[in-house]
Amino acid sequence: MIFNITGNALSGEIRIPSSKSISHRAVIAAGLADGPSELTGILDSVDLQATIEGLRALGVTILHQDADINALGVYGGLSGQGGTIDCHESGSTIRFLIPISLLTEKPYTFIGKGKLVERPLSLFSELFEEKQVEYTYDGRLPFSCQGPLESGHFKIRGDVSSQFITGLLYALPLIQGDSTIEITHTFESKPYVDLTLEMLSAFGITIIETENGFRIPGNQTYTPCQLTVEGDYSQAAFWIVAGLLKGDLQLSNLKKNTKQGDKAIVAIAQEMGGNVVETDTGLLVSASSTHGALIDASQIPDLVPILAVLASVSRGETRIYNAERVRIKESDRLLAIATELKKMGAKIEERPDGLVIQGVDFLVGAEVDAWNDHRIAMALTIASLKTKGSIVLRGAESIEKSYPHFFEDFKALGGSVYE
């Protein structure tokens, strides 16, 4: 899909969509619960559909409530008899569900497409080798495995992806016997694990944090609950930057005291001189003259593309560092965003672990590509707000992965998008 996008000034109120990270976690916890749960505000996206279908393959019953696609009735219980789980391009789906599939003691094969086929799963294969769990994996999907998974001590790197840790935290409480997880190397993206712990607690699961990891009592039971998913700060980041570049926006459906690590976008934007004001229900953002900053991306990898856009039109120099892991997302996001913004006249130097950006006054219209990556597509769309002329965006359909209504919201606020 190819869109022609013109960066008109944006204004108005936008309700931020539900958190993708929390939606995944809520549906999975409900799927493990001993009884029915009611979930509202579940994000409608390709990634969430992959998780829902994966849970159904594991034997969980999931129904939409009253034709509302964002409200689900989930009847927990892993009664699946084995088979294939298509994770599409969702890293959360595959890394969360692999350990859970072992609880069924039935053979499951995980497949996917796009960049997911080669995104690393070696942490699981190394653990399974050590724990004598049956698996087949040659460095690319498919990944096949069969339980049982037994309790014990699990040593896992913290600098590859926190999703591996979350998968284990979901599965281990249901196993007979206590377990421990020891985090080695730097624990990056810890806020995502904090979201996991918050969700597990909501469903009655006890996890004890230790100096270098977690202690997980075994033989626990997930308790059903009613839960509403809060708005997503990683998606709000696009509208925050939009407001700073060329807008006057009111963002709603954002929890002030959230555990979402991507709320850091608020402090970063303010540090760069942005006019961002917190309210009880969201944020007020208006056009600002921003300046460069030093940005440590180790805990906020999903913010890198949109921060690169903001830095490209901010005075002075911005350095984004500790961002090596964003190279193994849906695309190599450092290469992707640097390549496409350079086409628009940005001054960006790509480094192994990040970006060095010298701000310019305006970008210029160009034909750019989304690299089949939803965050690249949305970041480039927001970049159009500070562009002389329009951009032609190839691969716009990639937004379906996390934010299917993004372009509708962009147009509703005053943006111009046409095929």
Side-chain angles (χ1 to χ4, degrees), residues 23 41 57 66 68 99 166 179 279 306 335 338-339 348 369 374 380 402:
S23 293
D66 301 323
D68 183 349
T166 284
S179 297
T279 69
I306 192 60
L335 175 61
T339 298
I348 300 181
D369 191 89
H374 54 130
L380 293 172
S402 68

Side-chain angles (χ1 to χ4, degrees), residues 79 123 155 191 202 247 313 323 364 417:
S79 60
L123 291 191
K155 186 180 292 188
V313 289
V364 296
V417 180

Side-chain angles (χ1 to χ4, degrees), residues 24 27-33 49-62 74-87 92-110 145-147 167 170-171 174:
H24 279 298
V27 175
I28 292 171
L32 297 174
Q49 199 56 45
T51 290
I52 289 168
E53 292 304 322
L55 286 168
R56 285 173 172 158
L58 292 167
V60 178
T61 298
I62 302 177
V74 182
Y75 301 82
L78 301 180
S79 60
Q81 298 301 303
T84 298
I85 294 178
D86 187 348
C87 301
S92 295
T93 302
I94 196 166
R95 290 168 177 165
F96 293 174
L97 295 189
I98 282 177
I100 291 169
S101 75
L102 301 177
L103 300 174
T104 70
E105 301 188 26
K106 303 295 183 182
Y108 279 92
T109 296
F110 292 82
C145 57
Q146 181 174 1
Y170 270 96
L174 295 176

